[in-house]
Amino acid sequence: MNPLEATRAAGESRLAQFLPHAGADYTDWRNHDFGPNGDNRVSGLSPWLRHRLLTEEEVIDAAARVHGLTGAEKFIQEVCWRSYWKGYLERRPVHWHDYRKTLDEALTGIARDKRQNQLLLNALEGNTGIECFDAWVDELIQTGYLHNHARMWFASIWVFTLALPWAIGADFFLRHLLDGDPASNTLSWRWVAGHHTAGKTYLARPSNIARYTNGRFNPVDSLAAEAPAPPASDRPPLQPIPDEPDFELSETTGLLITEEDLHPESCFGERHWPLVVSLQTTGWRSPLSISAHVQGFVTDALVDAMTRNPGVQALGPIDLVDTAAGDRLVELLQTAGIGTLVTPWVPAGPTADALAAVEPILSAVGIRLVKVPREWDVTVWPHATHGFFRFWKAVGPMLSERYAAFEA
Ligand SMILES: Cc1cc2nc3c(=O)[nH]c(=O)nc-3n(C[C@H](O)[C@H](O)[C@H](O)COP(=O)(O)OP(=O)(O)OC[C@H]3O[C@@H](n4cnc5c(N)ncnc54)[C@H](O)[C@@H]3O)c2cc1C
């Protein structure tokens, strides 16, 4: 059973409930993690935002209209962190590919080292003897969620106390988080481990954990006292942001729905498509198995998006487990007379990897796949070149102007 309902309506209702708290309440209490059954003041919106059942832009819009940009600035900034990480990875997709390579190497390496392998098993089973860490493993597996501060502490303990490879920790998150996201997850783990900002790592301190868990945990003398930075490496060159593609919707244009963007109607309008097909690519998130919660959330979310975007024919969700599924897809498209498939932009990550395997099969039979970027992405991604501070310096004033009328 999924812990959360994977529909846009459920996301909208959660947003509506949270909105009154998106101002001072969030500003004052967002760093506190009172535990899975505690009175946490964060929104819990990330599974919907991650899959774009809700878009960043509409959540920002809703918060700014209630509190003004100034009143909801902290919350809006956090939503912008998602856009920043997405843009950052889009401009440097090599970080995703490097992560997958590092993960494969780490998994192979650790399997050969009995002692390290046992340490890893203990960590994955929540059996390290570090009370807070073991509780977070349990919470992650049971609920598919961890508070942002717990994610930071968890990743820091994984890397600096347990001395385990960061990429296996990132993969563990990606397999279990309902919001598991190639950009936010990979880049946050890189940031904690010191690969994002030269010379900067994140050290989890017992006093900080005690304070922000409201005394639930106090791991004195259990954690590494230092978090040494790895050697700095060069930033890879920036890739261009996506161009607006040249295409027209016609009678032979089908809609492709992927788990990267489940609100295609805000890209293409409400239409009755000749064909709607949805592909599930959750299995591409990891070489290991993905939790049933995550698989189920995505399947339900794809079904929900198909319900909102009807077609004369509707196919899916098709689980794109391998390219044989791509061959079957081509057959279906040809039978339906589809010449072009359009889809909202698919950013760097597992779905883009899966589509890269399918695209040659489509183009071999003359079917064009057109990925359409959103205005929000092409507006903010150009600023995701360095740190978040520089990003916000460009995006903050733009939002400030847009929501000037809503200031108290
Ligand atoms: C090691 C690590 C791994 C992470 N992995 C993921 C991941 O796989 N997927 C994911 O969505 N987030 C990830 N995050 C970011 C963040 O922890 C979650 O987005 C946030 O905890 C979601 O909870 P919420 O919706 O209650 O957040 P709120 O505090 O209510 O924030 C509102 C929204 O802002 C965005 N947001 C908030 N903080 C961040 C942040 N630091 N980075 C990016 N976006 C943010 C999210 O969309 C969130 O739903 C990770 C952070 C760390 C430190």
Side-chain angles (χ1 to χ4, degrees):
M1 214 345 235
N2 268 326
L4 298 175
E5 191 185 312
T7 62
R8 177 167 163 80
E12 285 174 328
S13 128
R14 189 165 193 121
L15 173 61
Q17 278 172 25
F18 173 71
L19 276 181
H21 308 286
D25 216 10
Y26 184 83
T27 308
D28 295 345
W29 293 101
R30 75 198 146 90
N31 285 326
H32 282 78
D33 178 6
F34 295 105
N37 303 313
D39 182 20
N40 284 337
R41 309 295 172 85
V42 288
S43 71
L45 284 168
S46 53
W48 292 274
L49 276 162
R50 170 343 177 175
H51 299 99
R52 287 201 160 160
L53 280 164
L54 297 175
T55 65
E56 292 114 280
E57 194 173 15
E58 72 180 312
V59 170
I60 290 170
D61 187 76
R65 281 169 190 276
V66 174
H67 300 279
L69 181 68
T70 314
E73 184 163 344
K74 276 292 160 215
F75 176 68
I76 289 172
Q77 269 184 351
E78 293 305 322
V79 179
C80 281
W81 267 96
R82 166 177 299 282
S83 305
Y84 163 71
W85 285 134
K86 262 181 112 113
Y88 195 96
L89 192 65
E90 204 54 23
R91 308 296 310 271
R92 296 186 172 94
V94 68
H95 286 316
W96 169 252
H97 303 297
D98 281 354
Y99 153 67
R100 285 303 295 259
K101 198 163 152 262
T102 308
L103 173 62
D104 288 342
E105 287 166 1
L107 287 170
T108 313
I110 215 158
R112 290 202 206 103
D113 182 330
K114 230 173 150 186
R115 203 185 135 267
Q116 276 282 97
N117 205 29
Q118 189 54 53
L119 252 175
L120 173 64
L121 281 180
N122 292 347
L124 297 176
E125 288 168 6
N127 220 357
T128 62
I130 303 171
E131 190 196 353
C132 53
F133 184 91
D134 294 346
W136 293 322
V137 169
D138 198 43
E139 182 180 345
L140 173 64
I141 291 174
Q142 297 304 324
T143 67
Y145 178 82
L146 282 182
H147 185 282
N148 181 59
H149 227 154
R151 296 182 200 206
M152 292 164 63
W153 298 320
F154 184 112
S156 177
I157 294 171
W158 181 282
V159 174
F160 299 110
T161 299
L162 301 172
L164 287 166
W166 73 268
I168 303 184
D171 176 69
F172 185 50
F173 268 22
L174 212 48
R175 291 188 294 117
H176 288 280
L177 284 171
L178 291 176
D179 63 28
D181 179 79
S184 289
N185 191 55
T186 313
L187 299 174
S188 297
W189 274 86
R190 281 175 53 87
W191 174 79
V192 169
H195 298 293
H196 187 69
T197 313
K200 196 170 176 334
T201 54
Y202 176 73
L203 178 68
R205 294 178 198 280
S207 56
N208 184 263
I209 295 175
R211 175 172 173 204
Y212 287 103
T213 59
N214 209 22
R216 282 187 303 127
F217 302 113
N218 191 3
V220 182
D221 298 332
S222 310
L223 307 187
E226 288 180 348
S233 53
D234 292 338
R235 279 180 201 247
L238 287 173
Q239 298 301 309
I241 54 161
D243 284 332
E244 189 63 38
D246 187 14
F247 79 104
E248 266 177 42
L249 296 174
S250 79
E251 314 253 288
T252 60
T253 308
L255 172 67
L256 171 67
I257 302 179
T258 77
E259 59 209 59
E260 296 304 320
D261 193 318
L262 293 167
H263 198 232
E265 60 269 42
S266 59
C267 260
F268 305 115
E270 298 201 354
R271 321 170 52 84
H272 197 75
W273 298 84
L275 174 94
V276 174
V277 56
S278 72
L279 288 183
Q280 179 150 10
T281 51
T282 323
W284 292 67
R285 293 184 189 189
S286 167
L288 305 177
S289 60
I290 306 291
S291 91
H293 281 341
V294 174
Q295 290 274 7
F297 186 90
V298 176
T299 307
D300 292 353
L302 284 163
V303 170
D304 180 63
M306 290 186 79
T307 314
R308 283 180 277 109
N309 293 273
V312 178
Q313 282 193 66
L315 308 165
I318 300 173
D319 196 353
L320 198 64
V321 277
D322 52 33
T323 46
D327 290 328
R328 283 201 302 284
L329 174 65
V330 166
E331 260 178 63
L332 298 167
L333 295 176
Q334 286 185 311
T335 313
I338 297 299
T340 303
L341 265 185
V342 290
T343 190
W345 186 255
V346 178
T351 304
D353 294 347
L355 289 188
V358 167
E359 251 180 292
I361 309 174
L362 295 177
S363 67
V365 295
I367 298 172
R368 192 175 163 219
L369 178 61
V370 179
K371 298 169 211 145
V372 183
R374 284 180 179 273
E375 207 182 317
W376 171 256
D377 294 339
V378 294
T379 306
V380 303
W381 287 356
H383 307 293
T385 52
H386 293 74
F388 179 79
F389 183 67
R390 203 188 281 202
F391 177 85
W392 183 249
K393 235 177 135 180
V395 174
M398 185 188 93
L399 294 176
S400 195
E401 195 184 325
R402 190 183 286 184
Y403 296 110
F406 297 93
E407 290 301 331

